[in-house]
Amino acid sequence: MKISFDLLFMWLLIAFTGNTNGVFAQSRTKFVPFQMNEPIVPYKFYILRVIDTRTETSNIGKVFVQNNLVASLKPSISLGKIIPQYYKSTFKNDSTAYPIEIHIHTFEIEEKIQDKKIIGKCSIGLDFHYYRTNEPVKITHFNNSTNYSRSIGEYDNYQQIIDKILRKSALYLNQWMKVNYDANPQLGQSIKINILPDYGYENPEKGDTIFWHPTRKLRWSDFEGKPSLNNKYAAQVFTNFEYTGNAKMVKGIIQIDLQMKAYMLKSSSWNATAGNSLSALAHEQLHFDITKTIIERFKRKALTISSPEDYDSELQLLFIDMYRTMNQLQKQYDSDSGHSINIVGQEKWRSDIQEELNMYLKM
């Protein structure tokens, strides 16, 4: 019996590969044709670019086809090109429009056979970034999924499922921009710091608190606390400072209303043996004045902050730095003045601090 070479080759291939479906195995792929409907009109933004961060960017899942075979599902064009089509324009159209960068971290269609039906789920995860000063700043995200069921066999409605979930993501971003435009500091293009008058300046006395004021000097009657049993000093004043920075958006500019307060607490300040000594009271007043100079330095340094991304953390770091400086100055003052006993040292500090305060108060 004669056996052709081609037939012998086919038998050998089947024997070694176990492939009974054909001589050459083929990977199963189902392509999803894509046709866009009317795109939305972006509100004050345009799509700068779409970045697909998924590990496998060409596939969007595994689905069942004829005979319950599994196939890789692929769109006819990449998601990076599909997504921008949901917005009317992907180009900057005016100076107030924000460049938006979209990151795809999830997009998948999954199917399983259950009760003689195919149950499917389409999941999406997008991060939206405002591309500010050449750096993407994440402003919001969209995570969503849609479920469907279908009969076993071939299925040709994947394009409708994809269209539905991508359109929802586009509408979400548009609505987020409508709500947050000119309101959310995340969209700030620059910052402006407004220095408000010190808190308590109009009314320097409030309960247990005395706020620093150029004409409201400390009195011994303000020292209402009790000294500790092991105290070795004649008197002590408790002074401190704080800040508030309320931010609001005005035409793309983050405006920060910065307000400071330097204060002393009556209940934490005491007079043990100083009596009515004016020199001792002047020493304690200068501790208060040092605190005031610290908040004035804080204001000047705060005005140099220019980053819309990190202004809040920069203010907090500045506060920590100035607080440390205040404690160092207070200790150095006590050391140089001998807690008011060293008249020369006391006068030197009084003159220097007064000169600094005069400079600030004239501004």
Side-chain angles (χ1 to χ4, degrees):
M1 182 176 69
K2 295 180 64 177
I3 301 176
S4 70
F5 177 79
D6 289 341
L7 185 58
L8 177 62
F9 176 75
M10 182 183 295
W11 285 349
L12 290 172
L13 186 62
I14 292 173
F16 282 104
T17 65
N19 180 12
T20 59
N21 295 324
V23 176
F24 299 102
Q26 297 181 356
S27 60
R28 299 181 182 90
T29 301
K30 183 175 182 62
F31 286 95
V32 181
F34 209 84
Q35 183 177 355
M36 267 296 303
N37 295 318
E38 182 65 24
I40 68 167
V41 177
Y43 183 83
K44 299 293 186 180
F45 72 92
Y46 63 98
I47 305 303
L48 179 67
R49 67 175 65 89
V50 176
I51 299 176
D52 197 341
T53 65
R54 296 174 303 147
T55 303
E56 178 54 65
T57 59
S58 61
N59 293 337
I60 57 174
K62 302 287 186 181
V63 297
F64 291 99
V65 291
Q66 288 290 351
N67 301 320
N68 290 343
L69 299 176
V70 177
S72 295
L73 189 65
K74 296 186 178 184
S76 56
I77 60 176
S78 69
L79 290 179
K81 293 180 179 179
I82 291 174
I83 289 177
Q85 295 182 16
Y86 281 84
Y87 305 91
K88 188 126 185 148
S89 172
T90 59
F91 301 99
K92 184 174 183 178
N93 49 23
D94 64 70
S95 60
T96 63
Y98 286 84
I100 299 298
E101 184 176 277
I102 301 176
H103 293 192
I104 309 170
H105 62 79
T106 303
F107 198 94
E108 184 178 24
I109 290 180
E110 302 173 282
E111 290 189 341
K112 63 182 179 180
I113 299 176
Q114 182 177 313
D115 298 329
K116 297 182 179 181
K117 283 187 176 182
I118 293 178
I119 306 299
K121 180 179 181 180
C122 181
S123 304
I124 189 173
L126 304 177
D127 289 336
F128 299 104
H129 297 253
Y130 161 37
Y131 202 75
R132 175 173 58 197
T133 58
N134 298 322
E135 287 291 336
V137 179
K138 183 178 175 180
I139 54 174
T140 186
H141 62 274
F142 179 79
N143 293 315
N144 199 271
S145 63
T146 183
N147 299 312
Y148 63 92
S149 63
R150 66 179 182 85
S151 301
I152 290 176
E154 200 73 33
Y155 188 64
D156 293 319
N157 287 330
Y158 295 112
Q159 192 274 336
Q160 295 179 14
I161 296 170
I162 294 172
D163 178 77
K164 178 180 178 181
I165 202 164
L166 288 180
R167 191 165 296 277
K168 285 173 68 176
S169 74
L171 291 171
Y172 167 82
L173 176 59
N174 214 38
Q175 183 61 28
W176 190 93
M177 288 296 295
K178 286 181 179 180
V179 171
N180 290 275
Y181 179 80
D182 207 17
N184 192 323
Q186 286 180 290
L187 295 174
Q189 299 170 340
S190 61
I191 68 169
K192 179 183 179 182
I193 295 182
N194 305 311
I195 305 295
L196 303 182
D198 290 356
Y199 183 85
Y201 194 85
E202 298 295 329
N203 183 18
E205 298 185 48
K206 186 177 181 181
D208 187 45
T209 306
I210 304 293
F211 298 103
W212 192 96
H213 193 276
T215 62
R216 202 309 188 176
K217 303 298 182 181
L218 294 179
R219 309 159 188 155
W220 279 127
S221 59
D222 297 328
F223 293 68
E224 298 178 353
K226 294 182 179 180
S228 61
L229 295 176
N230 298 323
N231 167 65
K232 61 179 180 178
Y233 301 114
Q236 179 173 294
V237 65
F238 178 90
T239 70
N240 206 351
F241 76 96
E242 298 175 11
Y243 81 93
T244 57
N246 296 319
K248 59 184 177 182
M249 277 275 285
V250 180
K251 296 182 179 179
I253 300 174
I254 305 173
Q255 299 211 8
I256 304 164
D257 291 335
L258 184 65
Q259 188 172 48
M260 308 293 302
K261 59 180 175 182
Y263 61 93
M264 70 87 72
L265 296 181
K266 297 178 180 180
S267 59
S268 299
S269 305
W270 45 263
N271 177 1
T273 59
N276 294 320
S277 169
L278 293 180
S279 61
L281 183 60
H283 177 82
E284 304 305 328
Q285 175 66 50
L286 198 55
H287 275 297
F288 202 5
D289 293 343
I290 290 171
T291 303
K292 169 63 174 174
T293 64
I294 289 297
I295 69 170
E296 293 299 331
R297 295 181 190 183
F298 187 106
K299 295 173 188 176
R300 274 66 193 174
K301 289 179 181 284
L303 289 174
T304 66
I305 295 174
S306 60
S307 169
E309 294 94 348
D310 302 319
Y311 73 88
D312 192 43
S313 59
E314 287 190 56
L315 280 173
Q316 292 179 40
L317 288 173
L318 177 59
F319 174 79
I320 294 171
D321 182 58
M322 297 311 297
Y323 203 92
R324 186 183 298 114
T325 299
M326 180 187 70
N327 288 335
Q328 291 171 347
L329 287 178
Q330 300 287 20
K331 290 179 180 179
Q332 190 63 45
Y333 166 51
D334 272 336
S335 176
D336 292 348
S337 67
H339 296 273
S340 81
I341 296 174
N342 185 333
I343 298 175
V344 175
Q346 176 72 28
E347 177 57 25
K348 177 68 167 60
W349 271 86
R350 186 205 66 77
S351 176
D352 290 347
I353 294 299
Q354 190 60 53
E355 182 179 356
E356 185 173 353
L357 283 177
N358 289 341
M359 177 184 67
Y360 294 137
L361 295 176
K362 288 177 182 178
M363 289 181 175

